[in-house]
Amino acid sequence: MTIHPPASPASEAPRLERQLSNRHIQLIAIGGAIGTGLFMGSGKTISAAGPSVIFVYMIIGFMLFFVMRAMGELLLSNLNYKSFSDFAADLLGPWAGFFTGWTYWFCWVITGIADVIAIAGYSRELWPGLPLWIPGLATVAILLLLNLTTVKAFGETEFWFALIKIVAIAALIVVGMFMILTGFQSDSGQASFTNLWSHGGFFPNEFMGFVAGFQIAVFAFVGIELVGTTAAEAKNPEKNLPKAINSIPVRVLLFYVGALIILMSVTPWTQFAAGHSPFIAMFSLAGLGAAATVVNLVVLTSAMSSANSGIYSTSRMVYGLAEEGDAPAVFSSLSRRKVPSNALFLSCVLLLSGVVLMYAGQDVGKAFDMVTTVSAVCFVFVWSIILASYIAFRRRRPHLHSASKFKMPGGIPMVWVVFAFFAFVLWTLTTQPDTLAALLVTPVWFILLGAAWLVLRRRPAHIARYEAFQDALRAEENAARGGADSQYQEKESVQR
């Protein structure tokens, strides 16, 4: 929670500034929708599910679109909401804000650690013999410096990171289409769309192979909700947030489904293996050795982009939690550039644990799989809280739902469909020993949070801050309702 009652200009403390423009928000949304999992994890997903992986990505993207629409309607119902932890605290109770804020923070710390592991692994492929700690430490240092300047610098950095990913996928689609249309020949056979169904059909590994695809692919979508954490720093959120959210289906179809169809048409799905990027393999197959090296750098950039998003979102969550007494007060301070510098330092220090994790284990791939599974489970929890908040919103604020210009399609029934899908995803994680182990470890986090909440919730300062938070929201809601009523009365008088 990050909301306070209005203060006088003279006494008002420094606040986060709305410096993220429309192009920043749009590209941050694209960057969130195109995760590291597409570049790094798609080889493993294809080898497990075969061509049915196309349907896996389509189904996940379809379901998460409704989560984003629910989030959009809630954020725009009261512009005093700075992120989804705010509306969770308001609609479900202070416990929900605490659990959501800290779990989302934990999600991105874990995801950032996975990205540091990925960056170190791919750096060693480009520069054999390079010690793993060098790229890990360099990544954290670079991203810290970028984020310490201004939020606009973060937006600009993420804009170019996302643009690089878009160009790489577009180049893959164009080159792949050329190879298919010209009947390109390789040791794997001829490039053709028939490769999608001529090697065992669309479901070569039957239902359980299809299930295994969900297990891995969910991580590719983590960060899709990142646009929701930019609400407090976005210019003209009423216009820019809906535009970013509504474009998610097109992005999923183009960047996920389109790229995967091309990859499996050029090379039969049987040739893909876990731990190898199919993007690099396709450019190498085309004889574009230099392009393959460039794609390797793009994969590194993608991981940097995800880690950059992680540092941004975790620092803002800790800042908001600290402002309301749910985190140490030292993290609530802003620098002269209106950046939560102490919260940024905390996030970066924790990302360095990724380097330790690589040296603690024998296999970088296994470390990556473990942390990505834990991250995916925690993200499913956050997405579920967003949907639960929407149900509470419909019950408690029907007038705001009626007045909304950005209503969630499908309403309450669709929420239950998505909940059923999340239950299915959690079940898929029990079907393999490695993901089951990570799934069983995850409840430890919620037990620790529960214990912390039992101590915190009774503190008078925390209770007072939550009441102030509620007062500020009610004031904003009453002002919005008054404006809507005056518009209605004016319309009625004109009609009369």
Side-chain angles (χ1 to χ4, degrees), residues 134-152:
I134 293 177
L137 189 62
T139 299
V140 175
I142 290 169
L143 295 180
L144 175 62
L145 291 174
L146 288 171
N147 279 270
L148 277 175
T149 50
T150 62
V151 67
K152 188 175 181 181

Side-chain angles (χ1 to χ4, degrees), residues 376-435:
V377 173
C378 290
F379 271 104
V380 168
F381 170 81
V382 171
W383 296 333
S384 298
I385 288 288
I386 291 172
L387 294 177
S389 300
Y390 179 78
I391 293 174
F393 170 75
R394 290 290 301 272
R395 186 180 67 251
R396 295 176 54 190
R397 313 275 167 77
H399 58 285
L400 290 181
H401 171 69
S402 299
S404 175
K405 297 179 181 177
F406 194 58
K407 291 183 176 70
M408 174 191 167
I412 300 296
M414 198 62 219
V415 168
W416 291 108
V417 171
V418 180
F419 273 141
F421 172 71
F422 286 161
F424 165 75
V425 168
L426 293 179
W427 171 75
T428 67
L429 296 174
T430 67
T431 61
Q432 296 294 326
D434 54 345
T435 53

Side-chain angles (χ1 to χ4, degrees), residues 299-420:
V299 174
L300 282 173
T301 303
S302 177
M304 286 278 283
S305 168
S306 181
N308 191 39
S309 299
I311 288 173
Y312 170 83
S313 55
T314 52
S315 63
R316 268 56 180 181
M317 277 295 174
V318 171
Y319 167 76
L321 289 164
E323 278 212 311
E324 294 307 320
D326 289 344
V330 68
F331 299 120
S332 66
S333 62
L334 291 177
S335 69
R336 287 180 300 173
R337 297 176 182 272
K338 307 294 178 64
V339 168
S341 52
N342 291 338
L344 277 169
F345 282 116
L346 173 67
S347 299
C348 290
V349 167
L350 290 171
L351 287 190
L352 291 176
S353 62
V355 179
V356 178
L357 189 61
M358 284 184 292
Y359 281 102
Q362 297 299 315
D363 189 346
V364 169
K366 285 183 179 178
F368 184 81
D369 289 343
M370 174 66 81
V371 295
T372 53
T373 302
V374 173
S375 175
V377 173
C378 290
F379 271 104
V380 168
F381 170 81
V382 171
W383 296 333
S384 298
I385 288 288
I386 291 172
L387 294 177
S389 300
Y390 179 78
I391 293 174
F393 170 75
R394 290 290 301 272
R395 186 180 67 251
R396 295 176 54 190
R397 313 275 167 77
H399 58 285
L400 290 181
H401 171 69
S402 299
S404 175
K405 297 179 181 177
F406 194 58
K407 291 183 176 70
M408 174 191 167
I412 300 296
M414 198 62 219
V415 168
W416 291 108
V417 171
V418 180
F419 273 141

Side-chain angles (χ1 to χ4, degrees), residues 11-28:
S11 63
E12 190 173 0
R15 291 283 166 224
L16 299 174
E17 291 188 337
R18 294 188 181 275
Q19 296 182 10
L20 296 176
S21 66
N22 176 50
R23 70 183 180 91
H24 292 142
I25 297 297
Q26 295 299 321
L27 270 292
I28 287 169

